[in-house]
Amino acid sequence: MPAVKRLGVLTGGGDAPGLNAVIRAVVKAASNASIECVGLEDSFDGLIEPNRSRVLTPRDVTGILRLGGTILGTTNRGNPFVYPVDTAEGTRDYSERCIEMFHRLHLDALVVIGGDGTLGIAYEFYKRGIPIVGVPKTIDNDIVGTTNCFGFDTAVSFATEAIDRLHTTAEAHRRIMTVEVMGRYAGWIALHAGVAGGADVILIPEIPFDLDSVARTLRARDQWGARFSIVVVAEGAAPKGGGVSLVQAATDGHVERLGGIGAQVAGALEQMTGKETRHVVLGHLQRGGAPTSFDRVLATRFGGMAVELVRRGQFGVMVASHPPDIVPIPIADVVGRTKTVPPDSDLVQTARAIGVSFGD
Ligand code: F6P
């Protein structure tokens, strides 16, 4: 394949702190390699609709390293293969239109920054001949093949600070506080923020819980004189047996929306322990704001390596963190899979060893 002269870049799926850091690294590294960058707006919409793209120079990305969000915009409802439309059909396949637009824009390759869904779309385009390099993104840290995704550290740091703050008010009022955190069907944010914030109970999707067991833990704390208890609940956590699911899931376009479990656990625990209980949902606060220094560095390394792979002509791959290196791995090995917390992982075992309950 001839050398890449013009490179498209897009961000897809839910935003994550560090997206702008990747865009900046891609644009700067590409420019230094005499490759022109074109930013596509709102994920693949930039290839579906005309005039939804713009040339990005190093000047355009100056000062964005520390910004949350994405200067290109994003969406988790714009899959071009099943694009939602307001007609009787409901969806339309715009994939050919995207491929035509890719050529009309004189692009030679595409850097796609996104989570599992976006990388799955990218892989379909790769199979149809578009040279693609993927960059994994999610606060949930649930993409297989990479130890870390940028955004995760920022989300965990924010959740940890929130738990720290809840400790003091919970202690002042002798209350139980439940904190619901994001993560979809993986418990990484809950586990890491729970351990970092000194939670007493951590409920994650990978370890189904029993509220009787949680209540016993909280009563025992009361008996030795603890003035408070903190229960971190992953939004995807569910009770043992799968009987009455406490998860309130709704569909929103193509994406399942989770939420509500923290409030339900709080209500049940108040009844079971007789202790005043309050709940907090951290929600999208975990995705906003400036990326941590760790995420800025990881995002910059991902962006730099993505351009290096474009220069080498290595496509159909995703950059991945394999400490101490950033390496390419086949996108085919990643899509359609979820990296969940191994219930016997060292962090779970250590948490148990210091007395944290997982409600099982
Ligand atoms: O995947 C990232 C994430 O923030 C999940 O943790 C959460 O379940 C979901 O996105 C929320 O999506 P939306 O922004 O569409 O509400």
Side-chain angles (χ1 to χ4, degrees):
M1 184 181 154
V4 169
K5 289 273 162 232
R6 210 163 135 91
L7 177 64
V9 57
L10 65 82
T11 54
D15 68 326
L19 281 171
N20 282 323
V22 182
I23 295 168
R24 171 179 174 271
V26 167
V27 171
K28 290 196 171 203
S31 168
N32 287 333
S34 304
I35 298 172
E36 185 174 54
C37 265
V38 175
L40 304 170
E41 292 171 6
D42 294 336
S43 190
F44 289 95
D45 282 9
L47 286 179
I48 294 173
E49 296 162 15
N51 309 319
R52 297 292 305 279
S53 58
R54 59 187 191 267
V55 169
L56 293 176
T57 66
R59 198 177 169 153
D60 296 315
V61 295
T62 295
I64 69 169
L65 175 62
R66 63 186 178 279
L67 300 183
T70 159
I71 60 164
L72 293 176
T74 188
T75 173
N76 50 16
R77 292 189 199 90
N79 183 345
F81 292 88
V82 280
Y83 199 85
V85 288
D86 288 334
T87 61
E89 322 141 69
T91 62
R92 212 167 272 171
D93 183 349
Y94 284 144
S95 56
E96 276 311 315
R97 193 150 138 181
C98 289
I99 292 170
E100 274 166 34
M101 186 74 83
F102 174 85
H103 293 300
R104 209 179 317 152
L105 291 170
H106 303 292
L107 299 175
D108 303 308
L110 208 54
V111 170
V112 175
I113 312 165
D116 177 51
T118 306
L119 293 172
I121 297 166
Y123 184 54
E124 289 306 315
F125 280 120
Y126 172 68
K127 288 194 285 187
R128 284 163 174 75
I130 303 286
I132 300 258
V133 172
V135 176
K137 162 258 34 158
T138 171
I139 64 163
D140 304 337
N141 209 33
D142 61 353
I143 297 182
V144 299
T146 180
T147 56
N148 276 84
C149 288
F150 61 87
F152 173 64
D153 186 65
T154 307
V156 168
S157 300
F158 175 81
T160 302
E161 193 197 328
I163 295 167
D164 287 350
R165 287 169 183 255
L166 291 172
H167 261 110
T168 55
T169 173
E171 186 167 16
H173 287 266
R174 291 183 171 271
R175 282 174 175 159
I176 298 170
M177 301 285 321
T178 71
V179 193
E180 183 184 296
V181 298
M182 283 184 165
R184 299 193 72 76
Y185 296 107
W188 296 106
I189 297 177
L191 176 62
H192 282 251
V195 170
D200 307 296
V201 178
I202 303 173
L203 304 180
I204 58 175
E206 297 83 349
I207 304 177
F209 63 83
D210 171 5
L211 279 175
D212 287 325
S213 163
V214 178
R216 266 198 305 279
T217 301
L218 301 180
R219 276 194 222 101
R221 282 180 55 76
D222 211 27
Q223 272 153 23
W224 68 252
R227 288 182 58 93
F228 66 91
S229 290
I230 302 287
V231 180
V232 174
V233 188
E235 64 180 358
K240 270 185 184 172
V244 186
S245 174
L246 295 177
V247 177
Q248 288 186 333
T251 50
D252 180 4
H254 300 290
V255 184
E256 198 170 36
R257 224 197 291 170
L258 302 180
I261 186 75
Q264 300 218 25
V265 166
L269 290 178
E270 187 163 56
Q271 297 263 313
M272 295 167 85
T273 63
K275 297 256 323 166
E276 200 175 10
T277 306
R278 295 283 191 273
H279 74 272
V280 172
V281 180
L282 297 186
H284 291 81
L285 291 169
Q286 294 159 98
R287 291 213 322 234
T292 59
S293 53
F294 179 91
D295 281 338
R296 295 180 200 194
V297 172
L298 183 63
T300 300
R301 294 176 78 199
F302 276 177
M305 178 53 91
V307 172
E308 176 56 26
L309 294 171
V310 167
R311 291 180 65 186
R312 287 186 209 158
Q314 211 173 330
F315 298 111
V317 291
M318 177 190 92
V319 299
S321 172
H322 286 195
D325 301 314
I326 304 294
V327 299
I329 62 170
I331 299 183
D333 293 352
V334 170
V335 296
R337 298 170 63 200
T338 304
K339 183 182 75 180
T340 53
V341 175
D344 59 351
S345 65
D346 78 290
L347 189 52
V348 172
Q349 287 186 35
T350 300
R352 287 192 196 278
I354 62 169
V356 175
S357 164
F358 286 84
D360 53 340

